Amino acid sequence: MLLSSLNPLAVAQGDDLPDAVRIDGHTLSRSDIVGGAGALARRIAGARCVAVLAEPTPATVVAIVGCLFAGVTVVPVPPDSGPAELAHILTDSGAQAWLGKAPEGSDLPVVPVRVNARDWHGHPEPHPSSTAFVLYTSGTTGAPKGVLLSRRAIAAGLDALARAWHWTGKDTLVHGLPLFHVHGLILGLLGPLRVGSRLVHTGKPTPAAYAEAGGSLYFGVPTVWSRIAEDEASARALSGARLLVSGSAPLPVPVFEKLTALTGLAPVERYGMSETMITLSTRADGERRPGWVGLPVEGVETRLVAEDGTLVPHDGESIGGLQVRGPMLFDGYLNRPDATAESWTEDGWFVTGDVAAIDDGGFHRIVGRASTDLIKSGGYRIGAGEVETSLLGHPGVKEVAVVGLPDDDLGQRIVAFVVGPDTDPDELIAHVASELSVHKRPREVRFVESLPRNAMGKVQKKLLG
Ligand code: MLC
Ligand code: AMP
């Protein structure tokens, strides 16, 4: 049964489920999670905001649910954050402590998470408008921005997906995605806890681990599905599942087709953002069309707007900037009223920055990003500007342009075009890794005499490749 508020554990009200969550070789029952989180919630009650190093472990599950019980905002931190990124996330969010493990060198206090502690007292339900999470995500330039997600938005977003995918307590969800983004954390952890299904977290999303898990519902980014489609035995092992769901980046049509042929299941593709959760999806009981992401989920409205501000017709061909509104949208970027204001139209629509087409039946096709400066690699969103700033801090780099070039495995791979004396490319890649998280490293560095610029001096990234 779905709840109208965000009681994160609808399951707290049902029967116990001995294997509610399997993660990192451990099995947690519903009562393990409720009792452990309850004990933690008592200890942190009154705190405002804490950081959680989002490793896929039982401690992370208990920490996050404990915060939801206590009404404490969580900042999930990527475990591989480089020092510059980590310092920004902690300062910008104002996190008061680490809950559980802390990375080396951090001077914030640490509150231990005792997975085996138990407390069964209830907790007053925090206000639905309160901020459950600050999720850091890259913009085109500058440091990552903190996306404020309320309890209300998360509840609305998850309930809409449960309806679109017929997701119920009978399902076992399987995925191995990181627990610091909308996909792995909100959909992939809070989803099962709210819907009451089981979760098997595979640690890494490898084809073999997905094949072994025996689930009914699988989540993956396109890189994961493409690797599974290349591993026929693992793909065939998924044929007993109910739904294979892809999102976070475009699912290539050949991968859609190969997966369908091997598993007998046409994947469900859905579209979302950290700022909006999931707004478009094909349905468990509806058409699944390769290259298309389907219809708005419950409560969502969309429109396409041309550069001159006029509305674009829904003829399946004409393209425009995709704007959305709905109950699962974020409450703005933390400490960034400028960026928040820029992302909304005066009449209350969120400007996604993606370009799309809509057909006369309301089906949506995502054509790409309006800006070349947001790269999607392996489903991770990476701002070209952040990587360029890091590279410019290396003495061997005079000028640089970072772009995402097409890649069969990752969708896009990060390539840095560098003007400067020939330096060892690995040294430049290592320099980025010393400041930012692992997936922000360029895969390739190409040295060039100069960067293509227009008459205004702006680098023309579309000419690089
Ligand atoms: C990576 N490696 C590099 C490198 N980059 N080595 C040298 N130079 C570089 N530039 C290393 C990695 O550390 C790894 O090492 C090895 O190369 C393989 O890396 P990889 O090819 O990237 O594979 P992998 O690590 O397996 O990662 C692929 C992936 C991962 C698909 C598992 O990208 C992933 O988890 N993506 C999910 C992102 C996600 O959840 N996005 C959702 C955003 S929310 P080693 O030693 O570790 O093997 C959102 C909203 C929505 O978008 O709609 O959902
Ligand atoms: P993030 O903030 O990491 O959630 O990234 C959001 C971006 O991922 C969107 O703005 C899109 O560009 C992209 N995206 C997510 N899902 C899809 C999809 N199914 N097809 C194409 N792009 C997608």
Side-chain angles (χ1 to χ4, degrees):
M1 193 183 65
L2 303 177
L3 302 182
S4 56
S5 65
L6 183 65
N7 178 337
L9 288 180
V11 292
Q13 313 195 340
D15 295 336
D16 199 6
L17 184 66
D19 52 352
V21 174
R22 274 171 31 211
I23 192 163
D24 195 27
H26 301 269
T27 301
L28 302 174
S29 66
R30 279 179 187 162
S31 54
D32 291 336
I33 299 170
V34 175
L40 181 64
R42 271 177 92 77
R43 287 165 47 227
I44 59 172
R48 191 176 32 75
C49 175
V50 297
V52 174
L53 201 64
E55 292 174 336
T57 60
T60 297
V61 174
V62 168
I64 284 171
V65 179
C67 288
L68 286 167
F69 279 168
V72 176
T73 302
V74 179
V75 185
V77 177
D80 68 345
S81 296
E85 205 173 345
L86 183 62
H88 167 71
I89 291 175
L90 295 178
T91 314
D92 188 62
S93 66
Q96 296 161 295
W98 287 102
L99 211 47
K101 200 167 155 186
E104 266 175 40
S106 169
D107 48 15
L108 276 187
V110 177
V111 178
V113 173
R114 299 189 191 107
V115 174
N116 295 319
R118 296 287 178 266
D119 187 300
W120 306 106
H121 292 87
H123 307 274
E125 173 77 13
H127 198 273
S129 66
S130 58
T131 301
F133 294 96
V134 186
L135 297 184
Y136 278 84
T137 191
S138 296
T140 50
T141 56
K145 295 181 292 225
V147 168
L148 300 169
L149 278 186
S150 70
R151 301 168 75 86
R152 180 194 281 139
I154 292 169
L158 292 177
D159 292 355
L161 291 181
R163 291 203 179 87
W165 300 341
H166 298 178
W167 185 1
T168 71
K170 292 190 184 133
D171 278 305
T172 296
L173 171 68
V174 177
H175 74 89
L177 297 168
L179 296 183
F180 44 86
H181 284 311
V182 156
H183 199 161
L185 172 63
I186 309 290
L187 274 56
L189 175 59
L190 300 191
L193 296 179
R194 183 165 174 82
V195 170
S197 69
R198 293 178 175 82
L199 166 65
V200 177
H201 192 283
T202 60
K204 284 257 178 185
T206 60
Y210 275 39
E212 261 170 37
S216 61
L217 177 62
Y218 284 78
F219 289 172
V221 297
T223 301
V224 169
W225 292 122
S226 145
R227 292 177 185 182
I228 290 174
E230 290 304 309
D231 177 341
E232 292 197 6
S234 295
R236 288 187 200 284
L238 303 187
S239 55
R242 192 175 66 77
L243 276 192
L244 311 180
V245 183
S246 179
S248 301
L251 183 67
V253 170
V255 177
F256 180 107
E257 286 170 347
K258 198 157 180 204
L259 214 49
T260 309
L262 289 171
T263 63
L265 298 164
V268 160
E269 185 165 5
R270 93 302 179 281
Y271 158 88
M273 295 183 75
S274 306
E275 290 87 337
T276 65
M277 296 195 45
I278 308 310
T279 48
L280 298 167
S281 183
T282 55
R283 300 293 198 270
D285 57 0
E287 185 195 357
R288 305 184 200 158
R289 196 187 303 168
W292 294 71
V293 295
L295 303 165
V297 300
E298 194 174 76
V300 170
E301 293 169 277
T302 61
R303 68 181 189 185
L304 296 181
V305 181
E307 274 178 21
D308 64 4
T310 56
L311 290 181
V312 171
H314 296 184
D315 56 14
E317 298 284 331
S318 307
I319 60 171
L322 178 66
Q323 300 184 357
V324 300
R325 60 182 184 194
M328 60 289 285
L329 266 56
F330 74 138
D331 290 326
Y333 298 108
L334 181 65
N335 303 324
R336 295 293 307 274
D338 52 335
T340 303
E342 265 172 33
S343 62
W344 296 88
T345 64
E346 275 175 15
D347 56 346
W349 293 76
F350 176 72
V351 181
T352 64
D354 288 304
V355 176
I358 306 179
D359 76 5
D360 56 6
F363 247 58
H364 290 62
R365 178 166 61 90
I366 305 297
V367 177
R369 296 280 321 167
S371 164
T372 48
D373 283 334
L374 267 193
I375 299 167
K376 267 269 157 157
S377 189
Y380 283 113
R381 170 167 153 185
I382 298 137
E386 196 185 1
V387 183
E388 287 162 358
T389 304
S390 170
L391 284 167
L392 284 169
H394 188 282
V397 178
K398 282 196 193 136
E399 291 176 45
V400 63
V402 167
V403 295
L405 296 185
D407 185 281
D408 284 346
D409 180 44
L410 298 167
Q412 291 183 301
R413 69 178 190 285
I414 307 178
V415 179
F417 290 82
V418 170
V419 179
D422 266 13
T423 311
D424 178 5
D426 286 342
E427 189 183 319
L428 298 185
I429 293 169
H431 174 77
V432 175
S434 73
E435 298 189 331
L436 308 176
S437 49
V438 162
H439 58 270
K440 295 183 180 171
R441 283 176 293 183
R443 301 264 162 173
E444 205 185 314
V445 175
R446 296 191 197 166
F447 292 96
V448 289
E449 289 292 309
S450 61
L451 296 172
R453 292 182 186 273
N454 65 14
M456 311 287 288
K458 189 171 165 2
V459 177
Q460 294 182 289
K461 291 196 172 179
K462 292 208 163 111
L463 299 179
L464 293 169

PDB file of all heavy atoms in Angstrom, residues 392-405:
ATOM      1  N   LEU A 392      43.228  23.235 -15.871  1.00  0.00           N
ATOM      2  CA  LEU A 392      43.936  24.526 -15.969  1.00  0.00           C
ATOM      3  C   LEU A 392      44.829  24.772 -14.751  1.00  0.00           C
ATOM      4  O   LEU A 392      45.727  25.614 -14.782  1.00  0.00           O
ATOM      5  CB  LEU A 392      42.934  25.675 -16.139  1.00  0.00           C
ATOM      6  CG  LEU A 392      42.332  25.777 -17.553  1.00  0.00           C
ATOM      7  CD1 LEU A 392      41.149  26.751 -17.564  1.00  0.00           C
ATOM      8  CD2 LEU A 392      43.394  26.199 -18.586  1.00  0.00           C
ATOM      9  N   GLY A 393      44.597  24.027 -13.688  1.00  0.00           N
ATOM     10  CA  GLY A 393      45.442  24.140 -12.497  1.00  0.00           C
ATOM     11  C   GLY A 393      46.756  23.401 -12.660  1.00  0.00           C
ATOM     12  O   GLY A 393      47.628  23.467 -11.783  1.00  0.00           O
ATOM     13  N   HIS A 394      46.930  22.682 -13.771  1.00  0.00           N
ATOM     14  CA  HIS A 394      48.197  21.968 -14.006  1.00  0.00           C
ATOM     15  C   HIS A 394      49.106  22.861 -14.854  1.00  0.00           C
ATOM     16  O   HIS A 394      48.642  23.436 -15.846  1.00  0.00           O
ATOM     17  CB  HIS A 394      47.911  20.646 -14.733  1.00  0.00           C
ATOM     18  CG  HIS A 394      49.117  19.769 -14.846  1.00  0.00           C
ATOM     19  ND1 HIS A 394      50.097  20.000 -15.786  1.00  0.00           N
ATOM     20  CD2 HIS A 394      49.502  18.685 -14.131  1.00  0.00           C
ATOM     21  CE1 HIS A 394      51.049  19.082 -15.642  1.00  0.00           C
ATOM     22  NE2 HIS A 394      50.707  18.279 -14.636  1.00  0.00           N
ATOM     23  N   PRO A 395      50.387  22.985 -14.485  1.00  0.00           N
ATOM     24  CA  PRO A 395      51.261  23.915 -15.209  1.00  0.00           C
ATOM     25  C   PRO A 395      51.416  23.579 -16.696  1.00  0.00           C
ATOM     26  O   PRO A 395      51.740  24.469 -17.492  1.00  0.00           O
ATOM     27  CB  PRO A 395      52.606  23.789 -14.478  1.00  0.00           C
ATOM     28  CG  PRO A 395      52.476  22.618 -13.553  1.00  0.00           C
ATOM     29  CD  PRO A 395      51.028  22.352 -13.345  1.00  0.00           C
ATOM     30  N   GLY A 396      51.156  22.337 -17.104  1.00  0.00           N
ATOM     31  CA  GLY A 396      51.310  21.957 -18.511  1.00  0.00           C
ATOM     32  C   GLY A 396      50.119  22.342 -19.371  1.00  0.00           C
ATOM     33  O   GLY A 396      50.121  22.068 -20.568  1.00  0.00           O
ATOM     34  N   VAL A 397      49.110  22.967 -18.786  1.00  0.00           N
ATOM     35  CA  VAL A 397      47.892  23.247 -19.564  1.00  0.00           C
ATOM     36  C   VAL A 397      47.713  24.755 -19.717  1.00  0.00           C
ATOM     37  O   VAL A 397      47.471  25.465 -18.747  1.00  0.00           O
ATOM     38  CB  VAL A 397      46.653  22.617 -18.873  1.00  0.00           C
ATOM     39  CG1 VAL A 397      45.384  22.943 -19.647  1.00  0.00           C
ATOM     40  CG2 VAL A 397      46.838  21.112 -18.736  1.00  0.00           C
ATOM     41  N   LYS A 398      47.829  25.233 -20.978  1.00  0.00           N
ATOM     42  CA  LYS A 398      47.617  26.671 -21.220  1.00  0.00           C
ATOM     43  C   LYS A 398      46.155  26.952 -21.514  1.00  0.00           C
ATOM     44  O   LYS A 398      45.579  27.929 -21.048  1.00  0.00           O
ATOM     45  CB  LYS A 398      48.450  27.099 -22.435  1.00  0.00           C
ATOM     46  CG  LYS A 398      49.904  27.300 -22.139  1.00  0.00           C
ATOM     47  CD  LYS A 398      50.516  28.098 -23.289  1.00  0.00           C
ATOM     48  CE  LYS A 398      52.017  28.067 -23.207  1.00  0.00           C
ATOM     49  NZ  LYS A 398      52.630  27.838 -24.518  1.00  0.00           N
ATOM     50  N   GLU A 399      45.605  26.122 -22.387  1.00  0.00           N
ATOM     51  CA  GLU A 399      44.182  26.240 -22.729  1.00  0.00           C
ATOM     52  C   GLU A 399      43.628  24.827 -22.805  1.00  0.00           C
ATOM     53  O   GLU A 399      44.353  23.896 -23.158  1.00  0.00           O
ATOM     54  CB  GLU A 399      43.990  26.865 -24.113  1.00  0.00           C
ATOM     55  CG  GLU A 399      44.354  28.320 -24.203  1.00  0.00           C
ATOM     56  CD  GLU A 399      44.224  28.792 -25.657  1.00  0.00           C
ATOM     57  OE1 GLU A 399      43.212  28.458 -26.305  1.00  0.00           O
ATOM     58  OE2 GLU A 399      45.150  29.450 -26.120  1.00  0.00           O
ATOM     59  N   VAL A 400      42.338  24.704 -22.550  1.00  0.00           N
ATOM     60  CA  VAL A 400      41.769  23.354 -22.619  1.00  0.00           C
ATOM     61  C   VAL A 400      40.288  23.425 -22.972  1.00  0.00           C
ATOM     62  O   VAL A 400      39.600  24.379 -22.612  1.00  0.00           O
ATOM     63  CB  VAL A 400      41.969  22.600 -21.281  1.00  0.00           C
ATOM     64  CG1 VAL A 400      41.243  23.283 -20.135  1.00  0.00           C
ATOM     65  CG2 VAL A 400      41.509  21.148 -21.376  1.00  0.00           C
ATOM     66  N   ALA A 401      39.828  22.424 -23.698  1.00  0.00           N
ATOM     67  CA  ALA A 401      38.387  22.243 -23.925  1.00  0.00           C
ATOM     68  C   ALA A 401      38.073  20.775 -23.668  1.00  0.00           C
ATOM     69  O   ALA A 401      38.720  19.889 -24.230  1.00  0.00           O
ATOM     70  CB  ALA A 401      38.020  22.625 -25.350  1.00  0.00           C
ATOM     71  N   VAL A 402      37.100  20.545 -22.797  1.00  0.00           N
ATOM     72  CA  VAL A 402      36.709  19.167 -22.468  1.00  0.00           C
ATOM     73  C   VAL A 402      35.362  18.878 -23.130  1.00  0.00           C
ATOM     74  O   VAL A 402      34.435  19.685 -23.033  1.00  0.00           O
ATOM     75  CB  VAL A 402      36.635  18.999 -20.932  1.00  0.00           C
ATOM     76  CG1 VAL A 402      35.926  17.704 -20.546  1.00  0.00           C
ATOM     77  CG2 VAL A 402      38.042  19.031 -20.344  1.00  0.00           C
ATOM     78  N   VAL A 403      35.295  17.758 -23.827  1.00  0.00           N
ATOM     79  CA  VAL A 403      34.052  17.398 -24.517  1.00  0.00           C
ATOM     80  C   VAL A 403      33.720  15.929 -24.247  1.00  0.00           C
ATOM     81  O   VAL A 403      34.580  15.155 -23.808  1.00  0.00           O
ATOM     82  CB  VAL A 403      34.154  17.613 -26.051  1.00  0.00           C
ATOM     83  CG1 VAL A 403      34.333  19.079 -26.390  1.00  0.00           C
ATOM     84  CG2 VAL A 403      35.276  16.791 -26.661  1.00  0.00           C
ATOM     85  N   GLY A 404      32.475  15.559 -24.573  1.00  0.00           N
ATOM     86  CA  GLY A 404      32.066  14.147 -24.509  1.00  0.00           C
ATOM     87  C   GLY A 404      31.964  13.627 -25.924  1.00  0.00           C
ATOM     88  O   GLY A 404      31.150  14.104 -26.700  1.00  0.00           O
ATOM     89  N   LEU A 405      32.810  12.671 -26.298  1.00  0.00           N
ATOM     90  CA  LEU A 405      32.755  12.102 -27.648  1.00  0.00           C
ATOM     91  C   LEU A 405      32.022  10.754 -27.590  1.00  0.00           C
ATOM     92  O   LEU A 405      32.060  10.067 -26.562  1.00  0.00           O
ATOM     93  CB  LEU A 405      34.172  11.922 -28.214  1.00  0.00           C
ATOM     94  CG  LEU A 405      34.957  13.219 -28.428  1.00  0.00           C
ATOM     95  CD1 LEU A 405      36.297  12.914 -29.115  1.00  0.00           C
ATOM     96  CD2 LEU A 405      34.171  14.232 -29.260  1.00  0.00           C
TER      97      LEU A 405
END
